[in-house]
Amino acid sequence: MASEVKLIVEMVTVLGAATAGGYLSNRLRQPVLLGYLLGGIVVGPAGLGLVALEGDIEVLATVGIALLLFALGVELSLKDLMRMRQIALGGGTLQILLTILLGGGLAYGLGWVATIPKAVFLGAVLSLSSTAVVLKSLLDRNEMNSLHGQIMLTILIVQDLAVGIMLAVLPALTRSPDEIGMALLAALLKALLFMGGAALAGIWLIPRMIQRLARSGSPELFLLGILVLCLGVALLTSAIGLGIEMGAFVAGLLVSNVEYADHALDRVLPMRDVFATLFFASIGLLIDPVFLWENAWVLAGLVATVMLGKAAIATGLVRAFGYSLRTALLVGLGINQIGEFSFVLAGVARSADLFPQHVYGLTVGTAAATLLITPFILRGTPTILIWLEQVPRLKAWLEPQRSPQYTGPADGLSNHVVVAGYGRVGQTLVRMLYFQGYRLLVIDNNEAVLGNLRDRQIPYLLGDASSLVLLEKANLSSAKAMAIALPDPFATRLALQRALSLAPDLDITVRAHATDEIDALYQLGAQEVVQPEFEASLEMGAHLLLKLGDSVSAVQQVVHRYRSGRYRDILPERAEYWGRSDLDAATEGFPKHWYLLEPESPLVGLSLAQANVRRTTGATIMAIERQKQLHAYPLGDTLLEAGDRLLVVGNADEHHAFTALIDGSSFPLEPNRYTEDKT
């Protein structure tokens, strides 16, 4: 009985510490995985010494690994993989191989590992990136549908597939040098035979079994059946020498093709989360913070080498597959961390005596450090790109090496409507304008979706719609209007700002991706901002009001009032509408500076509309700080007062022009005009 009580005490201790660490990480906006590791360190032998990784806790951690890999197999999206199969299969595979070559080669050359097999295993650990961290960052920034977001996700899918292959093949590296060749061949043969048998079971046996369990109507039986399948296949692969992890991953793949896959995943996720937390906390039990502190400089060097090396490899590969350097940099800086499944591989290497304790400690420490740094890099990448564009020698690298590809009539562009983004929204918009007889120019960086434009002889530019070079090619000064329907929020803001710098009077309609973007886009100069969810609400509301007996004119007035008020009357309530909550996100990536409005400035006493800052300088006033109160997105009738601090965004030339404007050295309005306006 004492052993059972000890197990419960250890479970509660580890899970309690992991919960506290995860909560702390969450409040600090860091991956909760880091909190789990920290919790394990605190209660482990190097901390309070309450728990050691041995006996039943280690077994439960192994169950966590199995459930983690099972869920990975269920969630794997081969459909997404095939949609971008060239960059996914080609770029993803090369990224793994080149990272293994770089990481393993450096480790072997510097004497970190004594043999080539150990170097290969270490390189494999370093080659994997964090699906969880990248996915959360893309969701938080509304970049799931952006081009760089899609490339990241497809490369991560290839890495997830590679996990299964690595778990099957890499343990063969534990054999002696004379036996490695035969061991690898035997492992591959066993893996192929197992996969063949699993495929047959996936066709004839698994669907029928899961279907019967689902039709039983018992949630308990369904969950038990899924767990038996997962752990049973894992035990089978362990018995034939392929490892528990490989079997759990394949079991997940088998379930992923069944119609009840989502239901199975939904049932397993709570158990996966509990046992996976035990697994990650168990890694913390093995981390010695004193050892990491004593090797802090070595750890810092490893982190820098890994992150810079992976970023360089991924950036080069994406660029080699024909994508812009900006997209390549976004991908490279987004997947340059070490992922959660690297901990699984590192654990396999440690248990197989491929990694000595100091190598394991440094590997785990490096992985944890990269996960800690990644969110900051992802948030700062737009700013990094803007900064690079300000450096003359680097600007040429970021701009297209050749003139943007234009396809259309040779008589030039004038009186046309520019549509930036040819996704679902852009395609619908183009069809509407085309059948109404307007001249069009479409901008998109995916040539695969532009084929029907050639058939209809609709002009288009192939490239990044936020590129200043490409916008100049679009001849915006002669355009009637512009619509921006890009999937990337930052690219949307950048395209809007740059388009208005070329054509200040251009009427631009912009699609907002989220509620907190609406005011920022209006402030940057959009004539109309459309938020799809709110528009759907307005259309549904209009339909209901008409059915309830309201007149057509009354309904039109209601809808117009909501639209003209920038949806503010139907916005979810905020604690402080004029606060800083979304201002940092809205100005992220733009060069910004606070200016103090001195009493002698000619702008004092003018409204924002009268000052006409954007039309004059190209810069935009995003916020006013007055008497320690922040007013974000001020309206045109807001009067400027002496002592105001103005948050202004714009490029270097626009900031220079604004400085001249605010100092009075280049005040553009005639005295009689603005005096008349003020009176």
Side-chain angles (χ1 to χ4, degrees):
M1 181 65 70
S3 61
E4 287 83 353
V5 173
K6 180 184 177 183
L7 173 60
I8 294 173
V9 170
E10 289 184 342
M11 276 190 64
V12 172
T13 302
V14 173
L15 289 175
T19 301
Y23 177 79
L24 179 63
S25 294
N26 178 264
R27 299 302 297 173
L28 295 175
R29 297 185 178 181
Q30 299 303 313
V32 292
L33 171 59
L34 295 175
Y36 301 157
L37 295 174
L38 179 62
I41 293 173
V42 170
V43 300
L48 300 176
L50 300 177
V51 182
L53 184 60
E54 57 185 17
D56 295 330
I57 284 291
E58 189 170 9
V59 172
L60 294 177
T62 303
V63 174
I65 298 174
L67 292 176
L68 197 66
L69 286 159
F70 175 77
L72 173 66
V74 176
E75 292 176 312
L76 202 62
S77 175
L78 296 179
K79 180 181 178 181
D80 289 341
L81 180 67
M82 296 309 295
R83 188 164 48 83
M84 302 183 72
R85 54 186 174 274
Q86 287 186 336
I87 182 63
L89 298 176
T93 304
L94 286 173
Q95 179 267 322
I96 293 171
L97 294 176
L98 290 175
T99 306
I100 291 175
L101 183 63
L102 174 65
L106 283 175
Y108 184 73
L110 295 174
W112 284 88
V113 291
T115 63
I116 292 179
K118 293 180 180 179
V120 171
F121 215 122
L122 180 59
V125 170
L126 301 179
S127 69
L128 302 177
S129 304
S130 175
T131 302
V133 171
V134 173
L135 186 62
K136 184 178 185 303
S137 297
L138 291 174
L139 286 170
D140 290 345
R141 297 169 57 81
N142 294 312
E143 294 178 357
M144 284 290 293
N145 294 319
S146 65
L147 181 60
H148 63 270
Q150 292 296 303
I151 295 173
M152 284 186 202
L153 292 176
T154 52
I155 291 178
L156 290 171
I157 291 172
V158 171
Q159 290 184 2
D160 293 342
L161 278 173
V163 170
I165 299 172
M166 291 174 181
L167 290 170
V169 175
L170 290 180
L173 298 177
T174 58
R175 301 296 183 88
S176 64
D178 297 335
E179 298 175 340
I180 283 181
M182 290 301 297
L184 286 173
L185 183 61
L188 280 172
L189 183 60
K190 282 193 290 187
L192 289 174
L193 289 174
F194 171 71
M195 291 296 291
L200 293 176
I203 296 173
W204 302 105
L205 179 62
I206 303 300
R208 289 181 172 83
M209 184 190 80
I210 294 180
Q211 188 178 57
R212 288 181 179 276
L213 288 171
R215 289 180 177 177
S216 71
S218 171
E220 294 84 0
L221 283 177
F222 186 83
L223 174 60
L224 287 172
I226 294 298
L227 288 176
V228 168
L229 173 65
C230 167
L231 299 178
V233 177
L235 289 173
L236 174 62
T237 53
S238 177
I240 63 177
L242 293 178
I244 286 177
E245 299 87 357
M246 173 68 176
F249 178 72
V250 171
L253 287 177
L254 295 178
V255 173
S256 68
N257 293 317
V258 179
E259 61 178 322
Y260 299 100
D262 292 337
H263 183 50
L265 183 63
D266 181 61
R267 289 290 177 182
V268 170
L269 280 180
M271 294 192 66
R272 180 205 68 174
D273 293 341
V274 172
F275 284 97
T277 300
L278 276 173
F279 164 65
F280 289 118
S282 72
I283 295 172
L285 298 177
L286 296 170
I287 297 177
D288 184 356
V290 176
F291 168 77
L292 296 179
W293 176 256
E294 291 173 348
N295 294 272
W297 288 108
V298 176
L299 185 65
L302 287 172
V303 170
T305 302
V306 168
M307 300 196 81
L308 291 175
K310 288 186 75 172
I313 289 171
T315 299
L317 287 172
V318 175
R319 188 74 181 93
F321 274 82
Y323 294 93
S324 69
L325 183 57
R326 179 181 180 275
T327 299
L329 283 169
L330 287 169
V331 174
L333 293 173
I335 62 171
N336 65 343
Q337 70 289 134
I338 303 177
E340 52 271 8
F341 289 102
S342 296
F343 292 113
V344 178
L345 283 180
V348 172
R350 175 181 167 275
S351 61
D353 294 326
L354 277 171
F355 284 4
Q357 186 58 37
H358 73 280
V359 172
Y360 177 80
L362 286 173
T363 302
V364 171
T366 303
T370 61
L371 290 175
L372 178 66
I373 295 170
T374 293
F376 296 101
I377 291 180
L378 289 172
R379 284 197 290 269
T381 298
T383 303
I384 294 172
L385 290 174
I386 292 292
W387 177 81
L388 291 175
E389 289 181 342
Q390 305 303 315
V391 181
R393 293 185 179 181
L394 296 177
K395 185 177 181 180
W397 287 71
L398 292 172
E399 290 179 347
Q401 298 301 305
R402 54 187 175 85
S403 180
Q405 179 182 337
Y406 170 75
T407 301
D411 57 352
L413 292 168
S414 62
N415 296 321
H416 56 295
V417 178
V418 179
V419 178
Y422 196 59
R424 287 177 298 179
V425 174
Q427 290 176 18
T428 302
L429 186 58
V430 166
R431 284 195 295 270
M432 180 185 299
L433 294 170
Y434 175 79
F435 288 120
Q436 290 299 114
Y438 289 98
R439 298 190 66 183
L440 292 165
L441 173 67
V442 178
I443 305 175
D444 200 274
N445 55 12
N446 185 2
E447 190 171 17
V449 302
L450 299 175
N452 63 338
L453 295 179
R454 287 192 296 269
D455 298 337
R456 296 186 180 275
Q457 296 185 335
I458 297 175
Y460 66 83
L461 281 166
L462 178 63
D464 186 353
S466 63
S467 165
L468 192 59
V469 174
L470 190 139
L471 290 171
E472 289 173 348
K473 185 78 172 180
N475 199 15
L476 297 179
S477 59
S478 299
K480 282 187 173 182
M482 181 178 185
I484 301 177
L486 299 173
D488 182 347
F490 175 68
T492 297
R493 296 194 298 270
L494 193 59
L496 171 62
Q497 197 261 349
R498 288 179 169 175
L500 288 173
S501 70
L502 296 172
D505 297 322
L506 185 62
D507 188 310
I508 302 181
T509 301
V510 184
R511 172 200 174 188
H513 302 81
T515 302
D516 54 12
E517 297 175 23
I518 296 172
D519 284 298
L521 293 170
Y522 272 117
Q523 200 68 25
L524 287 170
Q527 290 293 317
E528 189 72 35
V529 178
V530 177
Q531 214 282 339
E533 285 77 11
F534 281 152
E535 284 299 317
S537 301
L538 291 180
E539 289 301 317
M540 293 174 69
H543 176 77
L544 288 172
L545 290 175
L546 289 172
K547 287 292 184 181
L548 292 171
D550 286 17
S551 66
V552 174
S553 60
V555 172
Q556 288 176 341
Q557 289 176 6
V558 170
V559 172
H560 176 71
R561 184 176 75 248
Y562 287 138
R563 284 180 177 145
S564 61
R566 303 183 183 180
Y567 308 110
R568 287 180 179 174
D569 290 344
I570 52 175
L571 279 173
E573 295 208 6
R574 302 180 182 178
E576 180 58 58
Y577 185 81
W578 294 105
R580 190 186 290 270
S581 58
D582 62 337
L583 185 61
D584 292 336
T587 58
E588 183 180 9
F590 287 96
K592 53 190 174 185
H593 186 71
W594 285 94
Y595 295 87
L596 178 64
L597 195 61
E598 302 288 354
E600 62 272 14
S601 173
L603 296 187
V604 172
L606 294 181
S607 68
L608 288 179
Q610 292 167 340
N612 206 8
V613 171
R614 187 186 305 108
R615 178 68 176 83
T616 305
T617 67
T620 300
I621 298 176
M622 298 297 292
I624 299 175
E625 187 177 72
R626 180 179 298 161
Q627 298 177 354
K628 297 183 179 181
Q629 185 177 4
L630 183 71
H631 301 279
Y633 318 123
L635 301 177
D637 58 359
T638 302
L639 292 177
L640 296 170
E641 298 178 4
D644 286 348
R645 293 181 70 240
L646 311 177
L647 177 61
V648 178
V649 301
N651 59 35
D653 292 337
E654 291 164 348
H655 276 288
H656 179 74
F658 183 79
T659 301
L661 177 65
I662 198 173
D663 291 342
S665 56
S666 179
F667 193 61
L669 301 178
E670 300 83 13
N672 59 350
R673 176 181 171 185
Y674 72 79
T675 302
E676 180 180 334
D677 287 341
K678 286 167 64 179
T679 58

